[in-house]
Each structure stands twice: as C-alpha cells, then as structure tokens.
Amino acid sequence: MNARFRPFLLDYFEECEGDSRRTDNFLGQSHPYWGALCFPHIVEERFFGFMTWMLATSLVDDSFADPRIHQVPGEAEALKRSYVALLRGEPYEENRRTRALAAAVSHYGGPSSPAVIDRMLRALVDVIESSLRELTGGVSASFTDMDSYLRFRRTNVYGEWLKPMTEWGLGIDLDERATEAGDLRQLHDLVIDHWILVNDIFSFPKELEAGEDMNCIFLLMDRENLSLQESLDHAAALAMATEQKFVTARGALSADLDHDVRRYLLELEHMISGNLQFHRWTSRYHGYTRTDRQQDGSAEQTSLYRRGDTHNPL
C-alpha cells in the first residue's frame, strides 16, 4: 500500500528514490497502521482507499506546517483554495501538494449513498479551512477555557469528517443519525475529545520544537496557571475521564439497535483504543531517530528531546 502511494510522496517532497529521506520518514510514521487499529472492520474492497486517505489527509495537515509555504506571502491561502476547489470538484491548481489529495479522492465511489461522500467532502473542507487558523492564532488568545478549545478542535482534528468517513468504510449510511444531536452524536464527540487530548499530550514536544501552540497544554499553563507537568497530568486525567464517560454512555444505550448502528458503535470503541496505541508507538511523535520505542505500545513516558518533523527530519 505504501508502495502505491510512494510516488505521490516523492513528488510532494521533491525527492527521488536515491535520495528519499523525507518520504521514508513520512511512511515510517505508519498512518495505515493507525487506520487499521481504529477502523478494523472496513469492507475489504475499500481498505486501500481508506488507508490512502489516512496518508493523504495527514500530508495535507503537514503541508500547512511546511516552513517553505510561509516564505511566500499568500501561498498558504492559495494552497487552501486549491485543496477546497479539488474537494468541491471545481478547477484547481495541480501541483505536487494537490496531486496527493487528488489521488485519495479518486478512490471514492462504490455502493454507498452519494450523500455519505458529499458529507465527508464538505466536512473535510471545513477541516482545511480551519488549518490556517491553527497557524496564525495563538491558542491562549483564541480560547478562554477547555470547552471552547475542544469545540473548535472537534473540527480541526477531523471529528466531523470521520463520521461519514467511517460510514463509507463500513459501507453503511446513517443519514443524519450520526450528525444531529442525540446519543450517537454524544458518543462520537466523546471519542474525538479523547483523540484531541491524547494527541495534545503526545504531540506537545514536537509542537513545542516547531513553534506551534494549538495544544491544550499551553492553554492549561496559561489559563489555569499550571506547571508543565501539572498540565500534562491534568490532560491525561481528562482523557481517562472522557473514556469513562464514553463507556457509561455506550452502556446506557438500548440493546435494540439496528445492525448498521451497532457496527458504527463498535468502530467508535476501536477508535479510542487504536488511536491511543498509535500515539504511544508512532515515530511521528517519538522521533525518527529514536530506537527504543516499544513496539507493543506499552511505553508511557515522553521527554523534551529533539524529534524533527515531516519537512525537517533530523
């Protein structure tokens, strides 16, 4: 699977097979492994398309953090317009950055309702449009408390997009049941809040090194006047409490649920455990040069050593 997406990465990073350090490092983050952990019941004929989206959307996210894009005024905004036009089926500028996303879009189709795909693409447009805010507005200046931060991040970390994405992968259509207020909405929001907190804990050292500050750890230190360690401990406690809320809410649901809803709920359960396991393991958050990562995902500790990132690996 990586081999089939590799040409788009070589193009994106402007590398060749003889000199492909950034491509190799990006693939080494194992995004398809993340997808398989979080979505283990994807129908077989859609597996490759789904995992391609895991790679492409991560690359889209990274593209706005590429230092080179901010050296030319207006280039990040132009890239956002190209991504959005591509997703809407409108004319867009073809370049090394948009070709990877176009490759992922080409894998959509099949027997799912077109409404599922339409909801997914519209939600992904919202994600991309929020990406520039992450780079230009400091977290302490933008949010007054954790609730407002989490509400924004539910879109920013693919919360809305993952609902129809999951439906497409499972070959189901929940229509508006997964988006309107209700039990499914509450459960999905709890899962995404857990994702946000886990991501913020494990990505904090990388983001600190890169000069980014869209992370609840900064918010807790600034608004709650907590130390760094206290902020990390508080975020971890919130993640565990969020998981327990999910377990309680899931257990309170009626046992008389239709087949598609039960499949969707099972995938939500895997999203919590799978995302945590991926964050404990991936080189994306533990560094490309570190050799003592525990493959079973049992390692918990992290520290502030240099990691490098997608565009500037060590």
Side-chain angles (χ1 to χ4, degrees), residues 46-264:
R46 297 188 179 182
F47 184 83
F48 177 76
F50 199 98
M51 298 311 159
T52 299
W53 272 97
M54 295 296 101
L55 289 164
T57 52
S58 296
L59 195 64
V60 167
D61 184 46
D62 284 343
S63 68
F64 289 105
D66 184 350
R68 291 180 296 177
I69 200 173
H70 301 289
Q71 294 172 359
V72 180
E75 187 167 349
E77 181 66 30
L79 177 61
K80 184 196 77 172
R81 288 196 300 270
S82 291
Y83 282 149
V84 169
L86 191 164
L87 292 170
R88 289 175 173 165
E90 302 168 355
Y92 65 93
E93 179 185 351
E94 181 181 341
N95 55 47
R96 61 185 178 86
R97 293 188 175 103
T98 58
R99 277 190 286 270
L101 181 58
V105 170
S106 70
H107 287 286
Y108 266 87
S112 270
S113 166
V116 174
I117 299 173
D118 181 64
R119 282 192 282 118
M120 190 283 299
L121 294 178
R122 283 190 283 113
L124 189 52
V125 166
D126 291 339
V127 171
I128 290 172
E129 290 183 334
S130 74
S131 296
L132 287 183
R133 179 182 172 188
E134 179 171 339
L135 296 171
T136 58
V139 64
S140 298
S142 301
F143 306 105
T144 58
D145 53 32
M146 184 66 80
D147 286 342
S148 61
Y149 172 76
L150 289 174
R151 282 195 300 271
F152 170 72
R153 293 285 277 168
R154 284 173 194 157
T155 297
N156 184 254
V157 297
Y158 307 144
E160 299 301 318
W161 163 63
L162 281 171
K163 295 171 188 174
M165 180 73 177
T166 305
E167 294 172 64
W168 181 82
L170 296 175
I172 63 177
D173 183 358
L174 297 181
D175 195 22
E176 299 303 317
R177 285 176 290 176
T179 56
E180 62 190 14
D183 293 334
L184 288 183
R185 176 77 190 210
Q186 177 194 14
L187 287 167
H188 191 279
D189 285 352
L190 287 170
V191 169
I192 297 306
D193 285 353
H194 191 273
W195 275 34
I196 295 165
L197 294 163
V198 166
N199 179 261
D200 282 2
I201 292 167
F202 283 93
S203 67
F204 176 76
K206 179 177 76 73
E207 292 170 3
L208 183 66
E209 179 182 328
E212 301 173 11
D213 70 349
M214 185 62 72
N215 191 302
C216 75
I217 306 304
F218 292 110
L219 178 66
L220 290 168
M221 287 192 292
D222 182 61
R223 297 297 184 183
E224 303 295 331
N225 198 29
L226 300 178
S227 68
L228 172 56
Q229 187 60 57
E230 288 171 338
S231 298
L232 290 165
D233 292 343
H234 186 65
L238 285 174
M240 290 186 288
T242 300
E243 181 177 355
Q244 187 54 54
K245 288 180 182 177
F246 175 87
V247 172
T248 301
R250 173 65 181 91
L253 287 182
S254 168
D256 186 23
L257 300 170
D258 69 46
H259 180 63
D260 287 350
V261 172
R262 290 200 303 272
R263 291 179 65 199
Y264 183 80

